[in-house]
Amino acid sequence: MKRLLPFAILALAIGGFMLLKATRPAPPAITVQERVWHIDTQTIQPTSLRPTLTLYGRVEAPDRVRAASPVSGRVLEVLVRDGERVRAGQVLARLDPRDLEPRLAQARADVEREKVRYRSDQAALAQERRLLALAEDALRRAELIQAQKLGSQASTDQAREQLSRAQLAVTQREQALAEHPARLAQLQSKLAEAERDAARGEIIAPFAARIGKVEAAAGDQVQPNQTLLTLYPSDAIYLRAKVPAHLSEELRAALQRGEELTARADFGGKPLRARLERLSGEADARGVDALLKLDDPTGVPIGAFVNAQLERPLAPDAVALPFSALHGGDRIYLVKDGRLKGVTVQRIGELRINGEARLLVHAEALRPGDVVMITHLPHAIDGLAVTPIQRAS
């Protein structure tokens, strides 16, 4: 009996377990729910917008003038300083006239000497022609006497030699007279050059300008073509910057159509405005040079580095979106019925709205009133369930 007791207890336990299993309540059914992503959205309205291009350039004066010494000499005085404004016709510096006047006097003397020589050659030619006529008569007499057996051959040869010498003298004198206009023109050109250099002894401003840099002082000994100072027109200051080569033709075509493309910049807290005036005809690895004329360059020194935002031509049916809306470089997602729908777009450029950079895109599939996801989801795919974030008002 004692041997059967453990088996009875085991059977009782198994029976109780089976009873409990059979009478347990049914578990609730598990429902699989799809995850919904919370996103920010923007309702779009395609319209014509001007993309902007960020430029990094340097302020310069393409019409900068280098005032140089025409001859070697000593600087008598310098009347201006760096950065000073000057008016047209104002004397900027003077060279010592004692270094210029001797050359001018020598050139004038050479011209007068040539005129005196010409008059002398004219008078001498008349005398030499009379001598030639006498020599011809002498030769005829000598030949006549020899023919009559009254004179020697030596006398005839001597007369013939005198005639040849007279003919040579006339020829040389006529050549000297023929060369007179060329010699006189040469000497007069040297005189004009000396007069020009003497006039340049006073360095005069050719236009209203600002002095860039003074490179000489009173008492300096200077050589020909040595720079004394530089100056530039104060109303022709430009920003030279590089634009991408693939955009240069777009900008060039806009200029040819007469469009005014403006740029805005800031220098030392001062707002600047410039207008694109021309583009270089050559490109390098960095792009094409663009010259933008500053409307008001006051307070902007030559050589300063400035960054600016240049307006490009109008882009029709463009949409401005945050950069976070772009996926994969050329794709955005519309929100339709709570799900994403991908659209391939063309990047047009950038635009700043209230100081914030926005991306300009274009696609034929975009319509006014479309809702675009502007939250960047790395795993975004077509059909993903989303819901816009409700912002508190």
Side-chain angles (χ1 to χ4, degrees):
M1 190 67 179
K2 291 182 180 180
R3 291 179 181 177
L4 296 176
L5 183 60
F7 294 102
I9 295 172
L10 179 59
L12 183 62
I14 292 174
F17 172 74
M18 296 301 292
L19 179 63
L20 291 174
K21 183 178 179 181
T23 58
R24 69 179 179 178
I30 299 176
T31 303
V32 179
Q33 294 184 348
E34 182 181 12
R35 181 175 179 181
V36 179
W37 298 86
H38 293 272
I39 60 170
D40 280 325
T41 61
Q42 176 181 324
T43 302
I44 63 171
Q45 184 70 35
T47 185
S48 295
L49 296 172
R50 284 190 181 274
T52 59
L53 179 64
T54 301
L55 301 178
Y56 300 92
R58 184 178 181 183
V59 177
E60 62 177 53
D63 299 326
R64 192 184 191 98
V65 174
R66 182 177 66 90
S69 173
V71 296
S72 61
R74 191 173 299 277
V75 178
L76 185 64
E77 57 183 343
V78 178
L79 305 174
V80 292
R81 296 292 179 265
D82 294 357
E84 184 177 336
R85 288 183 178 273
V86 296
R87 65 184 183 278
Q90 181 175 338
V91 178
L92 309 178
R94 289 189 177 92
L95 298 178
D96 193 334
R98 291 172 294 182
D99 295 320
L100 303 171
E101 290 173 354
R103 183 178 176 218
L104 178 60
Q106 179 66 45
R108 287 172 176 165
D110 290 342
V111 171
E112 290 301 321
R113 185 182 300 110
E114 176 59 28
K115 292 179 179 179
V116 171
R117 177 182 175 181
Y118 176 69
R119 293 192 293 269
S120 175
D121 285 343
Q122 285 180 316
L125 178 61
Q127 294 290 337
E128 288 167 347
R129 283 175 175 168
R130 285 194 289 270
L131 292 175
L132 175 61
L134 293 174
E136 290 173 345
D137 292 342
L139 177 59
R140 284 194 296 271
R141 287 193 299 271
E143 290 174 341
L144 179 61
I145 292 173
Q146 184 182 2
Q148 295 174 353
K149 307 298 183 179
L150 299 175
S152 65
Q153 181 65 37
S155 298
T156 304
D157 291 342
Q158 185 177 6
R160 187 174 288 111
E161 180 181 352
Q162 292 295 332
L163 176 62
S164 297
R165 288 179 180 175
Q167 288 174 334
L168 178 61
V170 170
T171 301
Q172 290 177 337
R173 192 69 64 182
E174 288 176 341
Q175 181 180 356
L177 289 171
E179 292 175 351
H180 165 73
R183 289 196 305 270
L184 182 61
Q186 183 180 17
L187 294 174
Q188 286 175 334
S189 68
K190 291 183 178 180
L191 173 59
E193 183 180 349
E195 289 175 339
R196 179 201 63 193
D197 290 343
R200 288 179 178 176
E202 280 193 341
I203 310 301
I204 297 174
F207 44 72
R210 182 186 291 274
I211 302 299
K213 184 178 181 181
V214 176
E215 301 184 23
D220 285 353
Q221 182 69 32
V222 293
Q223 301 302 317
N225 297 320
Q226 181 176 336
T227 301
L228 303 179
L229 53 88
T230 58
L231 65 157
Y232 55 88
S234 54
D235 59 347
I237 308 302
Y238 290 80
L239 175 65
R240 183 185 292 273
K242 293 287 185 182
V243 300
H246 68 278
L247 294 179
S248 62
E249 290 307 314
E250 170 193 288
L251 299 175
R252 202 185 307 275
L255 291 178
Q256 291 175 349
R257 292 193 300 268
E259 291 187 35
E260 183 176 284
L261 303 180
T262 61
R264 299 187 181 278
D266 181 270
F267 183 78
K270 175 188 175 181
L272 298 177
R273 186 175 182 274
R275 290 174 290 105
L276 180 62
E277 191 163 286
R278 58 184 183 270
L279 293 165
S280 171
E282 298 181 357
D284 57 24
R286 297 175 298 162
V288 177
D289 278 349
L291 284 173
L292 297 92
K293 186 176 182 180
L294 298 180
D295 286 352
D296 180 15
T298 305
V300 184
I302 298 297
F305 288 92
V306 176
N307 64 308
Q309 298 294 324
L310 172 66
E311 290 183 346
R312 291 168 51 195
L314 276 174
D317 298 326
V319 176
L321 296 172
F323 281 84
S324 58
L326 192 66
H327 293 72
D330 63 350
R331 194 171 180 82
I332 65 172
Y333 287 92
L334 303 182
V335 179
K336 292 184 177 294
D337 300 326
R339 295 189 179 276
L340 297 182
K341 179 183 178 182
V343 175
T344 300
V345 297
Q346 175 189 358
R347 296 182 62 168
I348 301 174
E350 299 178 12
L351 176 65
R352 285 193 170 271
I353 300 177
N354 297 326
E356 181 181 353
R358 294 296 182 102
L359 177 68
L360 288 188
V361 298
H362 169 77
E364 295 293 339
L366 297 179
R367 296 289 182 268
D370 282 347
V371 178
V372 177
M373 178 180 70
I374 60 174
T375 299
H376 190 79
L377 293 180
H379 54 275
I381 57 172
D382 284 357
L384 187 67
V386 294
T387 183
I389 297 175
Q390 300 295 325
R391 300 291 184 183
S393 58

